[in-house]
Amino acid sequence: MIDRVGAIAALQDPRTPAGVLFEIAQGHPDLWVALVDHPNTYPGLLDWLASRGDPHVLAAIQDARARSMMQPAAVPMDPSGLGMPPAGMPPQAYPTQPEQMPPQMPMQPQMPAQAYGQPSEQMQPIAQMPMQEQMPPQAYGQPGMMQYYPAPYPVPPGQHPNGGGQFLQQGKATVQKAFDSITGYEGEAILKFKDLFRDTFKKHSRADMDALMYSGTEAALYDRQWRLPWLYSRVFGVLLGANLILWLCMAIFSDTSGNVVPGVIFTGALVVPATIMVFFWEFNQAKNLSFFDVVRIFFIGGALSLLLTFVVSAVTEVFTTSGYGIGGAFIQAIFIGFAEEAAKLIAVVILVRKLYGCLISNGLLVGAIVGTGFAVFETMGYGTTAWVRGNMEMVLLLRGMLSVGGHIVWTAIAGAALMLAQAPGSRQISLKNMAWGKFLALFAVPFALHMLWDFFAFTIHSEAALYILFAVLIVVAWVFIVRLINTGLRQYAELLGQPAQSIA
């Protein structure tokens, strides 16, 4: 919806098309008087404005019609050349030639006075045709435009002239603007969610694999080709295959001694998280982290974040409550979410500080790696406990599936927030000079997602409802991830002086 400044500028331009005037009428009742005098305001819109009953608008319409009667009458041109439509036929159903030209085009001031078809007693000016009460007038753009714009519908008595739909649209626009501001998103999307998987199932050569392994080496400095991820799917197949082989060993040969169980737990906890981690590594277009760096951050970051979680939990434990019910569950979820997200963020800060350039893609990647280490070690703990209880396979399966929207993406968002908050042109992150407001606005997202995740787990007793809510939280997390990936790609393209569209 056009904002007020744009609406005023559009009303000052005599070339503004009817479709834009329609949007102004829908969203800015205080500009209705100025709208009456615009040369491209079409009769249907004037009738609708008159039906609003505003005395100032009615006076403006009367003045405009009085002025028009003093000028030579211009009979509208039939754009089709087929003559008048039969009486009672709605204008929208009347065919035109060619088919692309919209019917009932609003008059342009410069059009010459012409007549519809051949003179006939049955013919009448189209302005005198009876308007169908149940069908609102239609507003059309400039000649040649393919789209049309419905005029505003009547508002039931007692409601605001804008209507409830207008408030909803304004609310959506406000949310969208805030969303873009939080994620640093600008312009058109470089890629959409479906594009993430465009290269996944294509055939790739050994040379493609070698190009990825150049990451973190001097050779990567000479490779400026942008690539979409595909290796992560092969990693998934390898890890899943290893897990199934170990699981078969345990199931077929009745491994009562537990020799194979640690392997089943480790590979089961690793399958999905490691796949997502490699996905983020492939999307790091700067190629400044080697595969060894990934392994190093995975183990050190995962272990360090677990240690820091215990430390932060010990500090915040004094504020938690042992109460029951919704309130107690909510407070517990808040402190668990804060302790774990803060601990992982500290680990990210420690491990990402030496990287050059404050790249958003680096924040996403290091955050995802730390989150992967945390998720794998945590799942291994739950898997070991579940093995004792006899439901290890189900626990590993569910936690693996849910990890697509858990610690990995939460910490990736936190890492991106850390980079977005740095001053433009910063070479290394600085907690002293960072924009804390911008950081906290985005860091609140993983904290809120984590808190809601735990709160639902504590309070929802229906498994179907619980997993539906988890799915909603996963979708929300990935909406932010895709936006942040676009922001990171745009940032790196500007750094290289390349067009961001080259990713496609």
Side-chain angles (χ1 to χ4, degrees), residues 48-135:
W48 183 86
L49 292 172
S51 69
R52 303 303 92 206
D54 189 307
H56 300 289
V57 176
L58 290 173
I61 293 176
Q62 290 178 357
D63 292 342
R65 288 176 175 171
R67 290 194 302 268
S68 65
M69 293 178 62
M70 299 175 61
Q71 299 175 356
V75 182
M77 178 182 65
D78 177 9
S80 65
L82 298 179
M84 290 293 296
M89 179 180 289
Q92 292 79 8
Y94 186 57
T96 61
Q97 293 290 336
E99 294 182 356
Q100 295 88 340
M101 183 174 291
Q104 196 178 331
M105 193 75 69
M107 283 294 299
Q108 303 297 322
Q110 67 275 18
M111 284 186 177
Q114 298 186 22
Y116 277 95
Q118 300 297 326
S120 173
E121 294 182 357
Q122 289 79 13
M123 293 183 183
Q124 53 182 329
I126 195 166
Q128 299 178 6
M129 289 180 62
M131 179 67 67
Q132 302 294 324
E133 294 183 357
Q134 70 278 13
M135 185 175 294

Side-chain angles (χ1 to χ4, degrees), residues 193-336:
F193 183 79
K194 63 180 181 180
D195 298 325
L196 304 181
F197 311 101
R198 197 169 61 197
D199 282 3
T200 300
F201 301 105
K202 292 182 179 179
K203 185 177 181 180
H204 294 275
S205 64
R206 183 70 186 186
D208 295 331
M209 175 80 71
D210 293 340
L212 291 173
M213 295 305 160
Y214 288 148
S215 295
T217 68
E218 293 184 1
L221 298 175
Y222 303 97
D223 181 11
R224 294 305 186 191
Q225 181 180 354
W226 289 22
R227 295 178 174 86
L228 292 172
W230 60 272
L231 182 64
Y232 71 96
S233 61
R234 280 64 168 177
V235 172
F236 175 78
V238 170
L239 293 175
L240 180 62
N243 178 253
L244 291 177
I245 292 171
L246 293 173
W247 185 84
L248 286 175
C249 289
M250 183 182 66
I252 295 175
F253 298 102
S254 301
D255 178 49
T256 55
S257 63
N259 291 336
V260 184
V261 171
V264 173
I265 295 175
F266 177 67
T267 55
L270 194 64
V271 173
V272 178
T275 300
I276 303 173
M277 179 181 69
V278 173
F279 171 88
F280 279 98
W281 178 64
E282 290 186 84
F283 244 123
N284 180 32
Q285 301 298 333
K287 302 180 181 68
N288 58 340
L289 266 74
S290 68
F291 200 78
F292 172 77
D293 293 327
V294 173
V295 175
R296 174 179 59 85
I297 296 174
F298 169 80
F299 283 104
I300 300 298
L304 181 60
S305 60
L306 279 176
L307 173 62
L308 292 171
T309 298
F310 287 114
V311 174
V312 177
S313 298
V315 173
T316 59
E317 186 177 4
V318 67
F319 301 103
T320 59
T321 177
S322 58
Y324 297 97
I326 299 296
F330 187 72
I331 293 175
Q332 289 279 27
I334 289 177
F335 281 99
I336 292 174

Side-chain angles (χ1 to χ4, degrees), residues 376-437:
V376 170
F377 294 150
E378 186 182 52
T379 298
M380 289 177 65
Y382 282 109
T384 303
T385 303
W387 174 60
V388 176
R389 296 177 179 176
N391 62 338
M392 177 184 68
E393 292 84 356
M394 184 58 65
V395 168
L396 293 176
L397 176 62
L398 290 177
R399 288 188 63 85
M401 293 174 60
L402 295 176
S403 66
V404 298
H407 289 293
I408 307 168
V409 293
W410 296 339
T411 317
I413 296 173
L418 184 67
M419 294 303 189
L420 272 172
Q422 302 304 309
S426 297
R427 297 185 177 183
Q428 290 184 334
I429 65 170
S430 170
L431 300 181
K432 180 180 179 180
N433 299 322
M434 67 185 293
W436 284 97

